Amino acid sequence: MSKYTTGEIADLCGITVRTVQYYDKRGILTPSEISEGGRRLYSEDDVSRMRIICFLREIGIGIKEIGEFLDDPNSTEVISLILEEQKKRLVSEAREKEEQLKKIEELQKGLRNSVRLNDGDFNFESIGDVVNVMDSKSKLKKIRGIMLGVGLPLDIIEIIVIVYGIRTGSWLPAILCIPLIAAVAAYLVNFYYKNVLYICPNCHKVFRPGMKEFFFAGHTPTTRKLACPECGETNYCVETTECAH
């Protein structure tokens, strides 16, 4: 079986030597062998694992979460589901791009005919259809965007009023703002809970957990550790939406 040095595995995976060393330090991917001369050697399986790590990093998964995925007994199923969800998003985006292209082509044809015939029959209302077509974003991205767009300003306001109270000794702004912030935060959590479903990596059941389990479960940007109501297994279940199924 082939063995690869740190530099070779970096070249194969399109990353830097420093990145390989960093993953080694974090325990995400350690070499399968140390040579007598102290060289760190990686196997074919290590190369495959590194490519999976690089992909997960590219789609926004954090180092800590990746380590948990790969150490999970059902890591293959979890990663498979993540890939499947990514595939669905890309297919959806491709379809929307294709529809946009068709509208542009129809508009171009209409414009050419209108110029050639000069009869005023061209329906310029269709221009609005082209102008208003936006780049596709998945429903999940929109939901997360709402959470971030509302939640981040709330966090900033909360920090400001607390700092103001500490510096001035006047806690009235905090007393007035914090209950409102808490109410909005509760609404956001409930909004997210109602709009997101989860896929069990063990039996592929799509489900919505109880609110209490949802709230206290460990989670990553794309998964949450939940007990599946179908098979009873507790795994990192992959987020999805009703429109994806």
Side-chain angles (χ1 to χ4, degrees):
M1 183 178 290
S2 300
K3 297 293 181 181
Y4 304 94
T5 64
T6 299
E8 289 170 338
I9 193 174
D11 289 340
L12 285 170
C13 297
I15 55 178
T16 65
V17 169
R18 183 169 294 183
T19 299
V20 178
Q21 294 170 338
Y22 175 69
Y23 290 159
D24 183 4
K25 183 179 179 181
R26 291 294 301 268
I28 303 299
L29 180 66
T30 56
S32 57
E33 183 181 331
I34 305 294
S35 71
E36 293 182 1
R39 300 182 73 185
R40 311 176 84 75
L41 300 176
Y42 295 86
S43 66
E44 293 282 358
D45 289 341
D46 292 334
V47 174
S48 298
R49 183 181 173 101
M50 178 63 81
R51 285 176 173 150
I52 292 172
I53 293 169
C54 292
F55 171 80
L56 294 175
R57 290 293 292 140
E58 286 179 3
I59 61 174
I61 309 298
I63 293 295
K64 181 180 178 182
E65 288 78 17
I66 290 174
E68 292 175 349
F69 291 160
L70 296 179
D71 290 338
D72 191 284
N74 288 309
S75 60
T76 301
E77 286 294 333
V78 174
I79 293 170
S80 177
L81 284 173
I82 290 173
L83 292 173
E84 184 62 29
E85 290 303 297
Q86 179 72 355
K87 178 182 176 181
K88 289 177 183 177
R89 286 192 288 271
L90 291 174
V91 168
S92 176
E93 290 173 4
R95 286 173 180 167
E96 292 191 22
K97 291 288 185 182
E98 185 176 351
E99 288 299 317
Q100 182 179 355
L101 181 59
K102 287 180 181 178
K103 288 185 178 181
I104 291 173
E105 290 173 346
E106 289 171 2
L107 179 55
Q108 287 176 324
K109 181 179 179 181
L111 284 170
R112 287 193 297 268
N113 290 339
S114 178
V115 171
R116 184 169 57 249
L117 299 175
N118 196 24
D119 56 9
D121 290 335
F122 177 68
N123 180 10
F124 282 95
E125 290 181 358
S126 61
I127 294 176
D129 293 334
V130 176
V131 174
N132 293 325
V133 173
M134 305 296 291
D135 288 340
S136 172
K137 291 186 178 180
S138 69
K139 186 177 179 181
L140 274 175
K141 287 184 179 179
K142 291 179 181 178
I143 293 171
R144 291 166 184 156
I146 292 171
M147 296 289 290
L148 183 62
V150 178
L152 186 58
L154 288 179
D155 288 340
I156 293 173
I157 293 171
E158 184 177 14
I159 292 171
I160 290 173
V161 297
I162 290 175
V163 171
Y164 178 83
I166 293 172
R167 290 186 173 180
T168 66
S170 174
W171 292 97
L172 181 60
I175 292 172
L176 294 175
C177 289
I178 289 179
L180 178 61
I181 291 171
V184 176
Y187 172 82
L188 286 176
V189 171
N190 189 58
F191 167 79
Y192 197 79
Y193 171 73
K194 288 184 175 180
N195 283 278
V196 177
L197 299 172
Y198 293 88
I199 308 173
C200 173
N202 187 55
C203 68
H204 293 197
K205 169 74 174 179
V206 179
F207 67 97
R208 178 175 286 115
M211 182 61 168
K212 182 177 180 181
E213 182 183 16
F214 166 86
F215 186 82
F216 290 104
H219 61 89
T220 75
T222 56
T223 67
R224 194 171 293 265
K225 198 161 191 176
L226 302 166
C228 175
E230 184 75 18
C231 66
E233 293 289 330
T234 298
N235 295 293
Y236 278 96
C237 298
V238 178
E239 287 184 349
T240 187
T241 58
E242 293 183 79
C243 67
H245 293 273

